Amino acid sequence: MSTPGRGLHGRVLDSLGPAITAGEYPPGSVLRTDELAQHFAVSRSVMREAVRVLESMHLVESRRRVGVTVRPKAAWNLYDPQVIRWRLAGADRPHQLRSLTVLRSAIEPVAAGLAAKHATAEQCAELTECALGMVANSRGHKLEGYLVHDMAFHRVILVASGNEMFARLGDVVAEVLAGRTHHEVMFEDPDPAAVTLHVQVAEAVREGDAARAEQLTREITVGALQELDILAP
Amino acid sequence: MSTPGRGLHGRVLDSLGPAITAGEYPPGSVLRTDELAQHFAVSRSVMREAVRVLESMHLVESRRRVGVTVRPKAAWNLYDPQVIRWRLAGADRPHQLRSLTVLRSAIEPVAAGLAAKHATAEQCAELTECALGMVANSRGHKLEGYLVHDMAFHRVILVASGNEMFARLGDVVAEVLAGRTHHEVMFEDPDPAAVTLHVQVAEAVREGDAARAEQLTREITVGALQELDILAP
DNA sequence: GTGACATATAAGTCTGACTTTTTGGGTCTG
DNA sequence: CAGACCCAAAAAGTCAGACTTATATGTCAC
């Protein structure tokens, strides 16, 4: 997927990051740079670079005379794509997927409303193309093809919103959608109602109908919440 | 505010980070580790650690035989609190503040709705206390006191939502609120209507009325958008 | 008990030598 | 002239070792 093993320090991170985010080292645990370097069979300089990165993600804190202490989850940079990936690969994947789906349900409707106002002709075309791709793959065990167009659809919406913060969530949404298809309960074929909603959102955006685009997208996200039994009855 | 100068590499970052996020080095610019180390009068190891951190924020990419190239803004980790702070300190502060306010307008109403369902008795008490604090500081040039309670109020809402992703936006919202008070147009005293809305949100959350909490918070964020002339007329 | 002081510890820093990857160019060949 | 191929330079990457600095903690006098 991303960039595995871009140097020695990267491989150390691929090992330490998931371990920490999985709670293998409980908050307050103290690690020593030297010991870690030995354990991973790398030099201290490499180990230090890895620790610096973990520190920039607020996963750990390095203090003199103390060592490298693991910080509580409340301090972690949960929006760091790397951290998201590590956590999605770990044990609390379901919990993580729920949090992100709720986040989606807040963001995407607003983004769709903005997209209806700001989308370029080109983006509208892309959107329609994605929706058609979803329709074409909505029947007959074509989950992978469906997923590709679904991810592209939502990414275009987020980018077309014109808000840089929304646009940056494209990767997160893609992860959630992929996670749902690959690891969670996903019925043989997608819900036809959901497919229709996507087509209608593309329409609404094309016509510049912000309120309708927002409302329709809200229905999509409500469906996503229901799939995970998040909505209270 | 945060942690200034936690070591040499930190001071290098405090200098390089703002420069890059300000666009001082346009995307594609190539930096050399050795030259940078000389320029900042630090050793290569320190410089390398700084570069690693910038790399983890996707601000730059380090490749052999090429150097450290600045990545386009679309790749940046815009949710990294450090990046947010750097950008808020730079030239495009107004633009940044707008993006974040739109983000707030999407998140906070949903968070308030969830808070109405999940808030503990203690959190309800905190919320009421914050609202009262806002009322007490709403008249007579007590902007600083008002700001403190305003920041606390929104932080409690985000945490009480029970969603970890929302909770992590507490710092961002605080930055936005502080920015509005300190650098942007802020009238002598806060809008009385906004103060009332906060009190009502606290009420709604206490009573577990999710729909009302969400709607009232939406009105608050609409006000914030209007202050920045974001809403189309 | 309290405060000043000594000490051990682990991170922080610097330096210099060496390795590895990559790219751009130059050369050879068809 | 085009394409394949090889070489050398360049820059990041890695390592080892010596030294510096901050600081938690224990000790001792008062």
mmCIF file of all heavy atoms in Angstrom, chain A residues 5 9 33 37 53 57 66 78 99 128 150 153 157 177 180 214 222:
data_model
loop_
_atom_site.group_PDB
_atom_site.id
_atom_site.type_symbol
_atom_site.label_atom_id
_atom_site.label_comp_id
_atom_site.label_asym_id
_atom_site.label_seq_id
_atom_site.Cartn_x
_atom_site.Cartn_y
_atom_site.Cartn_z
ATOM 1 N N GLY A 5 9.355 -0.002 4.463
ATOM 2 C CA GLY A 5 10.803 -0.119 4.525
ATOM 3 C C GLY A 5 11.553 0.897 3.711
ATOM 4 O O GLY A 5 12.336 0.533 2.851
ATOM 5 N N HIS A 9 15.348 2.765 9.476
ATOM 6 C CA HIS A 9 14.494 3.353 10.508
ATOM 7 C C HIS A 9 13.026 3.069 10.188
ATOM 8 O O HIS A 9 12.202 2.945 11.080
ATOM 9 C CB HIS A 9 14.751 4.847 10.624
ATOM 10 C CG HIS A 9 13.868 5.682 9.747
ATOM 11 N ND1 HIS A 9 14.088 5.802 8.398
ATOM 12 C CD2 HIS A 9 12.757 6.400 10.013
ATOM 13 C CE1 HIS A 9 13.159 6.570 7.885
ATOM 14 N NE2 HIS A 9 12.336 6.954 8.831
ATOM 15 N N THR A 33 16.645 3.799 24.484
ATOM 16 C CA THR A 33 17.117 3.849 23.110
ATOM 17 C C THR A 33 18.158 2.773 22.836
ATOM 18 O O THR A 33 18.093 2.078 21.815
ATOM 19 C CB THR A 33 17.725 5.227 22.799
ATOM 20 O OG1 THR A 33 16.823 6.231 23.236
ATOM 21 C CG2 THR A 33 17.956 5.389 21.310
ATOM 22 N N ALA A 37 17.856 -0.248 20.206
ATOM 23 C CA ALA A 37 18.809 -0.360 19.104
ATOM 24 C C ALA A 37 19.389 -1.770 19.052
ATOM 25 O O ALA A 37 19.483 -2.375 17.986
ATOM 26 C CB ALA A 37 19.920 0.674 19.280
ATOM 27 N N VAL A 53 10.468 10.164 15.097
ATOM 28 C CA VAL A 53 9.219 10.088 14.335
ATOM 29 C C VAL A 53 8.069 9.711 15.257
ATOM 30 O O VAL A 53 6.998 10.334 15.221
ATOM 31 C CB VAL A 53 9.349 9.067 13.188
ATOM 32 C CG1 VAL A 53 8.001 8.850 12.515
ATOM 33 C CG2 VAL A 53 10.381 9.536 12.178
ATOM 34 N N MET A 57 4.617 11.924 16.364
ATOM 35 C CA MET A 57 3.239 11.425 16.348
ATOM 36 C C MET A 57 2.634 11.436 17.753
ATOM 37 O O MET A 57 1.513 10.973 17.937
ATOM 38 C CB MET A 57 3.208 9.993 15.825
ATOM 39 C CG MET A 57 3.666 9.843 14.381
ATOM 40 S SD MET A 57 3.942 8.115 13.976
ATOM 41 C CE MET A 57 4.280 8.254 12.204
ATOM 42 N N VAL A 66 15.567 9.739 31.831
ATOM 43 C CA VAL A 66 14.401 8.901 32.051
ATOM 44 C C VAL A 66 14.311 7.807 30.993
ATOM 45 O O VAL A 66 14.260 6.618 31.311
ATOM 46 C CB VAL A 66 13.104 9.731 32.037
ATOM 47 C CG1 VAL A 66 11.889 8.827 32.116
ATOM 48 C CG2 VAL A 66 13.118 10.728 33.174
ATOM 49 N N LEU A 78 -4.177 10.841 16.258
ATOM 50 C CA LEU A 78 -5.035 9.840 15.615
ATOM 51 C C LEU A 78 -5.311 10.126 14.150
ATOM 52 O O LEU A 78 -5.822 9.267 13.444
ATOM 53 C CB LEU A 78 -6.356 9.733 16.377
ATOM 54 C CG LEU A 78 -6.225 9.308 17.833
ATOM 55 C CD1 LEU A 78 -7.590 9.048 18.426
ATOM 56 C CD2 LEU A 78 -5.363 8.052 17.952
ATOM 57 N N SER A 99 -15.120 4.526 14.910
ATOM 58 C CA SER A 99 -14.774 5.939 15.104
ATOM 59 C C SER A 99 -14.693 6.661 13.768
ATOM 60 O O SER A 99 -15.223 7.763 13.607
ATOM 61 C CB SER A 99 -13.425 6.062 15.800
ATOM 62 O OG SER A 99 -13.434 5.402 17.031
ATOM 63 N N THR A 128 -19.830 11.432 -12.008
ATOM 64 C CA THR A 128 -20.823 10.647 -12.748
ATOM 65 C C THR A 128 -20.213 9.325 -13.207
ATOM 66 O O THR A 128 -20.840 8.257 -13.110
ATOM 67 C CB THR A 128 -21.302 11.447 -13.972
ATOM 68 O OG1 THR A 128 -21.788 12.709 -13.533
ATOM 69 C CG2 THR A 128 -22.410 10.691 -14.697
ATOM 70 N N ASP A 150 -16.257 3.172 -5.641
ATOM 71 C CA ASP A 150 -16.794 3.765 -4.417
ATOM 72 C C ASP A 150 -15.750 4.683 -3.780
ATOM 73 O O ASP A 150 -16.032 5.839 -3.433
ATOM 74 C CB ASP A 150 -17.190 2.648 -3.441
ATOM 75 C CG ASP A 150 -18.123 3.147 -2.338
ATOM 76 O OD1 ASP A 150 -18.581 4.299 -2.419
ATOM 77 O OD2 ASP A 150 -18.392 2.369 -1.398
ATOM 78 N N PHE A 153 -15.285 7.770 -5.862
ATOM 79 C CA PHE A 153 -16.440 8.659 -5.726
ATOM 80 C C PHE A 153 -16.298 9.575 -4.508
ATOM 81 O O PHE A 153 -16.377 10.794 -4.611
ATOM 82 C CB PHE A 153 -17.719 7.819 -5.615
ATOM 83 C CG PHE A 153 -18.983 8.625 -5.495
ATOM 84 C CD1 PHE A 153 -19.716 8.957 -6.628
ATOM 85 C CD2 PHE A 153 -19.432 9.059 -4.256
ATOM 86 C CE1 PHE A 153 -20.885 9.695 -6.530
ATOM 87 C CE2 PHE A 153 -20.599 9.808 -4.155
ATOM 88 C CZ PHE A 153 -21.324 10.135 -5.290
ATOM 89 N N ILE A 157 -15.695 13.723 -4.153
ATOM 90 C CA ILE A 157 -16.573 14.602 -3.357
ATOM 91 C C ILE A 157 -15.743 15.440 -2.392
ATOM 92 O O ILE A 157 -15.898 16.667 -2.317
ATOM 93 C CB ILE A 157 -17.591 13.758 -2.556
ATOM 94 C CG1 ILE A 157 -18.638 13.163 -3.479
ATOM 95 C CG2 ILE A 157 -18.247 14.601 -1.460
ATOM 96 C CD1 ILE A 157 -19.721 14.126 -3.895
ATOM 97 N N LEU A 177 -13.634 2.251 3.642
ATOM 98 C CA LEU A 177 -14.401 1.506 2.640
ATOM 99 C C LEU A 177 -13.717 0.179 2.337
ATOM 100 O O LEU A 177 -14.365 -0.873 2.263
ATOM 101 C CB LEU A 177 -14.534 2.333 1.359
ATOM 102 C CG LEU A 177 -15.358 3.615 1.502
ATOM 103 C CD1 LEU A 177 -15.294 4.442 0.227
ATOM 104 C CD2 LEU A 177 -16.801 3.274 1.845
ATOM 105 N N ARG A 180 -14.226 -2.248 5.134
ATOM 106 C CA ARG A 180 -15.559 -2.818 5.152
ATOM 107 C C ARG A 180 -15.667 -3.966 4.143
ATOM 108 O O ARG A 180 -16.204 -5.034 4.450
ATOM 109 C CB ARG A 180 -16.577 -1.735 4.805
ATOM 110 C CG ARG A 180 -17.999 -2.231 4.850
ATOM 111 C CD ARG A 180 -18.968 -1.106 4.619
ATOM 112 N NE ARG A 180 -18.714 -0.424 3.343
ATOM 113 C CZ ARG A 180 -19.543 0.464 2.823
ATOM 114 N NH1 ARG A 180 -20.639 0.797 3.476
ATOM 115 N NH2 ARG A 180 -19.262 1.045 1.684
ATOM 116 N N GLU A 214 -26.328 17.300 0.147
ATOM 117 C CA GLU A 214 -26.025 17.080 1.558
ATOM 118 C C GLU A 214 -26.969 16.038 2.152
ATOM 119 O O GLU A 214 -26.535 15.092 2.819
ATOM 120 C CB GLU A 214 -26.141 18.404 2.334
ATOM 121 C CG GLU A 214 -25.922 18.223 3.822
ATOM 122 C CD GLU A 214 -25.757 19.546 4.569
ATOM 123 O OE1 GLU A 214 -25.507 20.582 3.922
ATOM 124 O OE2 GLU A 214 -25.876 19.527 5.807
ATOM 125 N N VAL A 222 -25.724 7.400 6.947
ATOM 126 C CA VAL A 222 -26.605 6.730 7.907
ATOM 127 C C VAL A 222 -26.588 5.223 7.638
ATOM 128 O O VAL A 222 -26.519 4.407 8.570
ATOM 129 C CB VAL A 222 -28.041 7.277 7.821
ATOM 130 C CG1 VAL A 222 -29.014 6.332 8.514
ATOM 131 C CG2 VAL A 222 -28.127 8.657 8.446
#
